[in-house]
Amino acid sequence: MFRIIALISGFLFGAGMIVSGMGDPANVMAFLDIFGQWSPDLAFVMGEHFWYSRQAIG
């Protein structure tokens, strides 16, 4: 049962990343380019997902 929940959680996380536009390699490269035109958008999206997952765990 734990593996099924983990699989569903992974799919939901991936879907959230795609819907938010963070599946685009250009957005990921902008996040990783800390000395150029850095874009913190990916950090906000990941932080939000982390917060929601911590709420689900308890």
Side-chain angles (χ1 to χ4, degrees):
M1 185 67 172
F2 177 77
R3 291 181 190 256
I4 293 171
I5 293 172
L7 181 67
I8 291 170
S9 298
F11 279 130
L12 286 174
F13 180 77
M17 294 294 279
I18 298 285
V19 168
S20 66
M22 293 301 132
D24 184 15
N27 286 336
V28 176
M29 291 304 292
F31 173 70
L32 295 174
D33 186 18
I34 58 173
F35 296 113
Q37 293 293 99
W38 184 64
S39 174
D41 297 341
L42 184 60
F44 292 130
V45 171
M46 289 190 305
E48 182 180 350
H49 285 286
F50 177 74
W51 186 83
Y52 281 116
S53 67
R54 292 298 300 160
Q55 296 302 315
I57 291 172

